[in-house]
Amino acid sequence: MLLAFQSLYRLRYPFLPRIRRKSSYSGVLTGTGKVIQGVSIGILWMASVGHWYVVWQLPVNNIHQDVTVKGDIVEVDCDSDKQQLTISVDSVDNEAYFISRRIRVYEYEPNTCRTAGQGVSFTARLKPAAGLANPGGFDYQRLLVSKNIVATGYVRAWHYWHQPSASVRQQIKRFIILHAGSDPKWLLALLLGDRSGLSTKDWDILQKTGTAHLFSVSGMHVGIIATALVLLAKIGVVVWSRWSGSLSPFRNVRRPIAVMVCLAAAGYVSLTGAALPAVRAWVLLAICFTLTTSAASWSARHIALVMTTVCFILFPLQVLSAGFVLSLAAVYSIWFLLWRYRLAAVSWWQAGIIMQVGLSLLLIPITVSWFSLISLLSLPVNLVLIPLITLSLPWLLLSLGAAMLLPACASDVISYSVALLNAVAVVLEHVAAQPGGVLQRDLPPGPLLMLMIAMLLLVMPAVPYRKRCVMLCLLPVLMVWVPHRSDRWFLHVFDVGQGTALAVTRGDRAILIDTGPAFNENAFAMENAVLPALTRLNIRHVDGVIVSHSDNDHAGGVNVLRRHALTHQHTFWHTPVSGCQQGTQFQWQSLTFYYHWPMPGNQTNDNASSCVVTVKDGDHSVLLPGDIERTTEYRLLAQQEIHATTLLIAPHHGSQTSSTKAWVKATQPDTVIFTTGYLNRWQFPSDVVKARYQETGARQVNTATSGYIRVAFTSGTPPLIQRYRQDLAPAWYHEAILSPKGDHSN
């Protein structure tokens, strides 16, 4: 940010004050003044953007209510089960917006797939943009913020939609599908940026091989097309010069070539759907051409600073996007490698290998920080595929143009193009199937920074003790694999939406209690929240799983967990009908697990028969009651099974059918945790229940607003409670989803 805004001085803006040279210290003062002003401008701009994003949230009376939305469809992702629509909103309930805002809505089992560009009106139920918040998990809220999406929801009814005239992109897509002969999904993804045909399996293959960037139109593709156009223009100039009898042009054609290339590249960006990464790349290309062809002399450093500045000004929220960070890092890495190894003076194949190896090393820390994995297959695969795509993309576009001009040969041309990319996809599938190709690891910020420094030292010019410094920097990274100290134990409450998933851990071992929900047989919470978090926590063994009862919101991830490598043949599985019965207890890692409910011989597996378990260490106790309701609470109290506890997971997510006054009085928890989904339709936890716990002085924490919660227990000291959004990974955009009703259980 600081370096980016320093380029404003290169532009000589008159409103920026300057420090006059008056003494030998004036150079230092001038530099200090620029630094202070650059920092101030950067902070002011980014803070303003964040402020406006929070201000643009929905009014309280529009949340979870039927509202009428009018706007235009920006993006569509449609299949037989649901379609995801990104809408540029013009008005909500006839209240027009001066500045359009974006929302994301879903329609389940759609009758018709909508198309981008349609003007629509529909009834929807909305809530502020939010996502699950867990260590090692995908930050969906950050993705929504980076796309300037301020609310999400679902469609209740359609009022009308205007079908736009077929765009050139849609006509070309239909033409390709008509003449392809087989599924052209890879050709559509590469040429038109249409990735709707790629399945989850396809994306998994691309991620494992580190080639997702090749089939997502981005700055690399715009750069390839621009380079091809420049070469084509230069060849045209030479041919024209020879044809006209002159061996060199009479005038400087750099500017006309730059203008023509920019216009042609703009056409290509429009053809690919004008995705934000491609638009961003085109803007930077235009700036680069403008500065390099201007009368003033611009150094590479100042060009880089101006381009970075424009990125921050025009696309401020994109700093939260993985694509933006990777693109920016890749561009600066390329410039660095060109300078470091003087690649202009070596052969093209040597330059290509050095560039690819250097980029792979330098981008490892960023890849780990955003995707929590290192693809060992990425380097060899990209060494082959990047040159192949670089050479193929211009030819494929030319072939497509020729096929459209000569319909007689269209089927052959397009079929060959589809066959080429399908063959590449088959090879990638075989490569991705090789074991050990991906290291799944999420690094904390400290080790990640040291890894970045180590990568830079490896490619920097030789300095004294470089190897030793690299080894020292890698030590924190290696320490991530060392098990946690076992003199304390933890309760982990995962953010899985409307559901429950807990883990009790000590060292590198864990016992899980409940597995979160599943939707349409997709255990999203287990796959994308719980398991990545366990990896981040360096858990190597799951010794047992306690499933409180069979409801989907508690048992949805069981099948996924059974197949995972963390569980093994010695892992025990306890349920209300097997292993969990009143009076049973066992020891694990010096902790005592005691079952209070259900009664022996129970054969039901519902809320009333949920496993009720207490975990004790001698000083502290944690009560985990599942989804029991008032009848079961009264029976347990009558049997004197329940006593005061240090920490309580609220029964049935804080429903009014549980947490009776007698239960709250008997448990007397210091802390009560509610496991609920953000602004869930049942409005859990109930205001009545929260008031009861408040009367006892219990601290109330809710996964809906706090995200993942970690409680550390150490003998002789009170538990240490840390919330993900507020303590472990705070971010300004988390403020946008605080409960509009003033919920204090956070």
Side-chain angles (χ1 to χ4, degrees):
M1 177 69 67
L2 168 62
L3 293 177
F5 280 96
Q6 283 305 299
S7 63
L8 290 173
Y9 285 91
R10 182 65 179 178
L11 299 178
R12 306 298 183 189
Y13 286 158
F15 61 82
L16 294 177
R18 294 176 174 80
I19 301 175
R20 298 182 180 276
R21 184 178 297 273
K22 294 182 178 180
S23 67
S24 59
Y25 298 102
S26 58
V28 176
L29 294 175
T30 302
T32 303
K34 290 181 179 180
V35 168
I36 294 174
Q37 293 173 18
V39 170
S40 301
I41 294 172
I43 292 175
L44 179 63
W45 174 247
M46 298 305 291
S48 299
V49 171
H51 169 75
W52 283 112
Y53 179 84
V54 175
V55 168
W56 287 341
Q57 298 302 307
L58 293 165
V60 174
N61 57 352
N62 285 345
I63 296 175
H64 265 321
Q65 302 295 323
D66 285 350
V67 294
T68 301
V69 179
K70 295 180 181 179
D72 299 314
I73 298 177
V74 179
E75 295 178 359
V76 180
D77 184 5
C78 183
D79 55 39
S80 59
D81 295 329
K82 69 176 181 180
Q83 67 174 329
Q84 172 186 288
L85 305 170
T86 301
I87 310 291
S88 178
V89 178
D90 297 326
S91 67
V92 173
D93 281 345
N94 295 321
E95 181 181 348
Y97 292 145
F98 177 73
I99 299 177
S100 179
R101 312 174 192 183
R102 289 190 176 187
I103 65 172
R104 174 166 289 179
V105 293
Y106 298 88
E107 182 184 13
Y108 297 95
E109 298 181 358
N111 295 323
T112 304
C113 286
R114 309 297 170 191
T115 58
Q118 282 185 318
V120 294
S121 175
F122 56 91
T123 298
R125 286 198 173 181
L126 305 174
K127 62 182 179 181
L132 304 182
N134 296 279
F138 177 66
D139 194 340
Y140 184 61
Q141 186 183 358
R142 182 170 59 188
L143 173 67
L144 294 175
V145 175
S146 71
K147 293 178 176 290
N148 201 20
I149 295 172
V150 298
T152 60
Y154 58 94
V155 177
R156 300 264 289 173
W158 291 97
H159 301 315
Y160 66 78
W161 56 88
H162 300 307
Q163 185 68 35
S165 58
S167 64
V168 175
R169 182 175 185 242
Q170 292 172 335
Q171 295 177 18
I172 294 176
K173 178 180 177 179
R174 294 170 187 169
F175 182 82
I176 292 175
I177 294 175
L178 179 64
H179 295 90
S182 59
D183 190 356
K185 59 182 179 180
W186 296 104
L187 184 64
L188 293 174
L190 180 62
L191 294 188
L192 302 181
D194 185 345
R195 299 168 292 173
S196 59
L198 299 184
S199 64
T200 303
K201 179 183 177 182
D202 296 329
W203 282 112
D204 186 57
I205 291 171
L206 295 177
Q207 188 179 53
K208 287 182 178 179
T209 55
T211 54
H213 63 288
L214 298 179
F215 293 93
S216 302
V217 176
S218 60
M220 186 191 81
H221 299 76
V222 176
I224 291 172
I225 296 303
T227 302
L229 290 171
V230 169
L231 292 176
L232 189 62
K234 289 185 176 181
I235 292 173
V237 169
V238 172
V239 171
W240 171 261
S241 300
R242 290 183 177 275
W243 180 77
S244 63
S246 174
L247 296 180
S248 61
F250 290 101
R251 63 183 63 182
N252 189 341
V253 294
R254 292 177 63 198
R255 290 184 181 177
I257 288 177
V259 172
M260 289 187 292
V261 169
C262 282
L263 292 176
Y268 170 71
V269 170
S270 176
L271 184 66
T272 58
L276 193 55
V279 172
R280 185 175 64 236
W282 181 85
V283 170
L284 297 182
L285 177 72
I287 293 172
C288 184
F289 277 157
T290 300
L291 298 183
T292 54
T293 58
S294 66
S297 177
W298 289 80
S299 67
R301 177 172 65 89
H302 284 106
I303 292 175
L305 292 176
V306 171
M307 292 169 67
T308 307
T309 300
V310 173
C311 276
F312 283 124
I313 293 175
L314 297 183
F315 313 103
L317 292 176
Q318 281 288 291
V319 298
L320 301 172
S321 164
F324 176 85
V325 175
L326 283 171
S327 297
L328 199 64
V331 170
Y332 276 100
S333 297
I334 289 171
W335 276 332
F336 172 78
L337 293 170
L338 287 171
W339 164 80
R340 168 65 180 88
Y341 296 103
R342 305 186 184 280
L343 298 184
V346 302
S347 61
W348 64 269
W349 63 270
Q350 289 178 317
I353 293 176
I354 294 173
M355 183 66 71
Q356 185 57 47
V357 173
L359 278 175
S360 298
L361 289 175
L362 292 173
L363 295 181
I364 282 177
I366 298 176
T367 304
V368 173
S369 66
W370 285 90
F371 305 108
S372 302
L373 58 83
I374 301 174
S375 175
L376 302 180
L377 305 170
S378 175
L379 179 57
V381 170
N382 279 285
L383 280 174
V384 176
L385 275 191
I386 287 181
L388 177 63
I389 296 298
T390 300
L391 296 174
S392 300
L393 181 58
W395 286 109
L396 289 173
L397 285 171
L398 288 175
S399 300
L400 177 61
M404 298 188 71
L405 294 175
L406 302 171
C409 63
S411 296
D412 292 335
V413 171
I414 293 178
S415 296
Y416 289 141
S417 301
V418 170
L420 170 65
L421 292 179
N422 285 349
V424 171
V426 170
V427 173
L428 288 178
E429 183 176 1
H430 285 296
V431 172
Q434 302 304 312
V438 175
L439 292 178
Q440 190 80 25
R441 173 55 57 187
D442 187 24
L443 297 179
L448 191 63
L449 176 62
M450 300 308 293
L451 177 62
M452 190 175 299
I453 295 173
M455 295 298 103
L456 287 173
L457 287 174
L458 282 176
V459 296
M460 286 291 285
V463 295
Y465 307 109
R466 182 172 66 171
K467 293 182 179 179
R468 296 180 184 178
C469 291
V470 169
M471 293 304 299
L472 287 174
C473 290
L474 290 178
L475 279 178
V477 180
L478 298 176
M479 293 298 291
V480 172
W481 275 265
V482 176
H484 291 292
R485 50 190 285 194
S486 58
D487 60 337
R488 58 180 178 171
W489 59 282
F490 297 88
L491 172 69
H492 307 273
V493 184
F494 301 108
D495 180 13
V496 294
Q498 186 58 40
T500 300
L502 316 169
V504 176
T505 66
R506 196 163 208 163
D508 62 352
R509 314 189 78 86
I511 289 180
L512 300 190
I513 300 94
D514 289 334
T515 61
F519 300 98
N520 296 326
E521 299 182 356
N522 178 18
F524 180 85
M526 175 57 64
E527 293 178 337
N528 297 279
V530 178
L531 291 176
L534 293 176
T535 301
R536 171 67 180 270
L537 297 169
N538 205 19
I539 299 301
R540 299 178 183 176
H541 308 280
V542 173
D543 295 329
V545 180
I546 302 171
V547 182
S548 65
H549 61 295
S550 61
D551 281 5
N552 173 70
D553 59 335
H554 292 252
V558 166
N559 291 333
V560 171
L561 186 58
R562 284 187 184 275
R563 297 191 298 265
H564 198 270
L566 285 175
T567 58
H568 44 79
Q569 60 180 350
H570 299 297
T571 300
F572 68 80
W573 297 78
H574 288 177
T575 69
V577 297
S578 176
C580 178
Q581 63 179 13
Q582 189 181 88
T584 303
Q585 67 180 25
F586 62 90
Q587 298 291 319
W588 177 84
Q589 299 290 306
S590 301
L591 301 176
T592 301
F593 285 70
Y594 181 85
Y595 291 128
H596 302 276
W597 191 261
M599 299 296 290
N602 171 70
Q603 295 300 315
T604 59
N605 203 344
D606 55 11
N607 285 356
S609 58
S610 293
C611 281
V612 178
V613 57
T614 292
V615 184
K616 295 182 178 180
D617 66 357
D619 293 322
H620 312 98
S621 63
V622 176
L623 179 57
L624 314 171
D627 275 359
I628 62 171
E629 298 180 343
R630 61 170 60 92
T631 302
T632 305
E633 291 181 357
Y634 289 147
R635 292 188 64 180
L636 287 170
L637 293 173
Q639 296 172 3
Q640 297 185 353
E641 281 285 332
I642 300 301
H643 306 284
T645 185
T646 308
L647 185 143
L648 169 69
I649 302 296
H652 204 183
H653 317 285
S655 167
Q656 197 169 351
T657 61
S658 306
S659 296
T660 59
K661 291 183 178 180
W663 172 271
V664 173
K665 182 178 179 181
T667 55
Q668 288 287 319
D670 297 327
T671 302
V672 59
I673 296 178
F674 300 101
T675 55
T676 70
Y678 177 65
L679 291 179
N680 61 87
R681 59 180 175 174
W682 298 278
Q683 298 184 356
F684 293 160
S686 165
D687 290 337
V688 174
V689 169
K690 290 190 293 182
R692 290 173 185 164
Y693 285 111
Q694 187 174 3
E695 289 177 1
T696 67
R699 179 184 180 184
Q700 302 182 45
V701 190
N702 192 345
T703 57
T705 50
S706 297
Y708 159 88
I709 300 164
R710 181 177 69 192
V711 187
F713 296 92
T714 306
S715 179
T717 61
L720 174 63
I721 300 175
Q722 293 177 296
R723 302 160 298 171
Y724 190 80
R725 287 195 175 102
Q726 289 83 359
D727 305 314
L728 299 175
W732 64 266
Y733 51 82
H734 290 158
E735 296 296 322
I737 69 164
L738 291 180
S739 173
K741 296 181 180 180
D743 185 359
H744 297 288
S745 59
N746 55 11

